[in-house]
Each structure stands twice: as structure tokens, then as C-alpha cells.
């Protein structure tokens, strides 16, 4: 559900069938990142005649507008020549001490769920989903243990490189700083900043 603060309206943008959740916005205003239960790899139960579907959750990105390309869209691998432009207005505003205003985020609600793309990460159980410029940070475990002792690793998915990388192998919690520059992580009663 997205809430429109200007018009005070709620909009349901995904169906409940795949349990999309843990939504976080891209700080650049291009994507909404969610977890969604769309990985189906059944195993046969040892105890009864049923199929079990463990670890169905995957990461997905939804472009907020129709004009925003999918993060997995084909790219031209030839480097284009870029011209440098000076933005004197931004430099003047920074010198003058004016406060930067937060730009409004435009969202095309029509066809919203249809723009969802599953990111090429391993499925499992996701926690502490957060987004920073060009990256998604999260903890993931492949299996949930009944005793609650789950070994989760800290990962990030790089949107530019289109690959997942491990940050730390075994942690209990992670919290991204407001500016997206650092992570507070913990294991039992030990804390660290990464």
C-alpha cells in the first residue's frame, strides 16, 4: 500500500498473492524495492505425502514511473562520451546556505505491479532491507530454524554491477545510517560500524 500525502489516499499497488513486503524506496526516487514470495522449488516432505516450499522469498525492484528503465534492462556496453556541465545554481545555493528541498517523488500507479522485476539474488528469508544510492543492503538466511537460531549473512546487491556481494558472514541485526554511508551491525551483544 502506498499513501499519497497530497491527496490523503491509500493505493494498493501489489496483490496479496505473493506477500510482497518490506518495501523501501530507492533514495534517487527511481525504484521501490520489495521482498516477494515468487520462488518455487518444492521438496517432498519426509513425514507425510505433501510438498514443502521453503525459502520462497526473493528481492524485486519496481520502477516508480513508466519512463524509468528496469534495473535489469539491456545496456549498451560501449562507453558514451559525456560532456561536463557546470551547475552554477547548485553551487550558489550551497554557498548561500540555503536549505535543499526534498523533491517530490512521482509514481505512476497504472501498471505498477506489472513493472516488477525479480533481482538475480539467491532466494531465502530476508531481513533488515535498506536502500542506498545504487545498492540494496539486506540480511538473508536460506533456512529458518525452529529454535530461532538463524545464521544470517549481510549482503548488498549492486544495481550497476548487477551482482550480489557478501559483507559479513554471520550477524544478528543490521541498520543502515540515514545518509547510507555506514551500517551498524550486531552479533549477540557485540556491535560494530561497517
Amino acid at each position: 500500500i502506498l499513501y499519497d500525502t497530497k491527496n490523503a489516499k491509500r493505493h494498493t499497488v501489489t496483490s496479496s498473492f505473493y506477500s510482497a513486503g518490506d518495501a523501501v524506496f530507492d533514495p534517487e526516487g527511481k525504484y521501490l524495492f520489495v521482498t516477494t514470495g515468487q520462488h518455487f522449488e518444492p521438496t517432498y516432505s519426509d513425514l507425510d505425502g505433501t510438498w514443502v516450499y521453503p525459502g520462497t522469498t526473493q528481492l524485486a525492484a519496481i520502477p516508480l514511473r513508466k519512463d524509468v528503465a528496469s534495473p535489469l534492462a539491456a545496456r549498451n556496453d560501449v562507453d558514451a562520451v559525456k560532456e561536463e556541465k557546470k551547475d552554477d545554481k547548485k553551487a550558489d545555493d550551497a554557498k548561500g546556505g540555503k536549505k535543499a528541498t526534498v523533491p517530490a517523488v512521482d509514481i505512476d500507479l497504472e501498471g505498477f505491479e506489472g513493472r516488477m522485476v525479480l533481482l538475480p539474488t539467491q532466494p531465502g528469508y530476508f531481513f533488515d532491507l535498506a536502500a542506498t544510492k545504487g545498492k540494496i543492503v539486506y540480511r538473508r538466511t536460506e533456512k529458518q530454524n525452529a529454535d530461532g537460531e538463524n545464521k544470517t549473512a549481510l549482503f548488498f546487491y549492486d544495481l550497476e554491477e548487477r551482482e550480489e556481494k557478501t559483507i559479513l558472514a554471520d550477524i544478528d541485526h543490521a541498520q543502515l545510517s540515514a545518509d547510507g554511508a555506514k551500517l551498524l551491525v550486531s552479533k549477540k551483544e557485540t556491535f560494530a560500524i561497517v
Side-chain angles (χ1 to χ4, degrees):
I1 294 178
L2 293 177
Y3 184 76
D4 182 348
T5 57
K6 286 184 181 177
N7 300 315
K9 290 185 179 177
R10 294 167 43 145
H11 301 278
T12 302
V13 292
T14 60
S15 66
S16 60
F17 189 78
Y18 293 114
S19 302
D22 303 313
V24 294
F25 283 97
D26 163 39
E28 296 178 289
K30 294 180 182 179
Y31 304 103
L32 180 68
F33 301 112
V34 296
T35 57
T36 178
Q38 294 189 37
H39 177 77
F40 303 105
E41 192 173 312
T43 57
Y44 197 70
S45 173
D46 290 340
L47 302 176
D48 56 15
T50 60
W51 291 99
V52 179
Y53 297 86
T56 61
T57 308
Q58 288 185 273
L59 281 182
I62 307 172
L64 295 177
R65 295 175 309 281
K66 294 173 187 171
D67 64 334
V68 175
S70 163
L72 301 179
R75 293 190 243 180
N76 184 353
D77 49 347
V78 176
D79 291 333
V81 177
K82 295 181 183 178
E83 292 183 29
E84 290 186 29
K85 291 184 180 180
K86 292 185 179 179
D87 194 351
D88 294 332
K89 185 177 179 182
K90 285 185 181 177
D92 290 342
D93 287 349
K95 290 178 185 175
K98 292 182 183 178
K99 286 188 176 180
T101 58
V102 176
V105 176
D106 293 324
I107 301 173
D108 292 332
L109 296 174
E110 186 179 333
F112 189 84
E113 189 173 25
R115 295 192 298 269
M116 180 187 294
V117 292
L118 299 176
L119 298 175
T121 61
Q122 291 295 317
Y125 300 92
F126 290 81
F127 309 94
D128 302 333
L129 189 64
T132 187
K133 186 176 179 179
K135 294 178 177 58
I136 310 161
V137 180
Y138 50 92
R139 290 186 307 121
R140 184 186 66 230
T141 185
E142 292 180 15
K143 297 178 182 178
Q144 290 276 47
N145 295 327
D147 62 5
E149 289 291 323
N150 298 307
K151 185 174 180 178
T152 59
L154 182 64
F155 297 91
F156 74 87
Y157 181 80
D158 189 319
L159 293 169
E160 182 65 29
E161 300 295 324
R162 297 182 179 181
E163 64 183 358
E164 179 181 67
K165 294 184 180 176
T166 305
I167 300 172
L168 291 170
D170 186 15
I171 63 167
D172 293 334
H173 298 284
Q175 180 69 45
L176 186 66
S177 64
D179 65 357
K182 298 185 187 265
L183 281 162
L184 174 66
V185 295
S186 68
K187 175 69 179 169
K188 300 198 182 206
E189 296 180 17
T190 304
F191 293 83
I193 294 177
V194 180

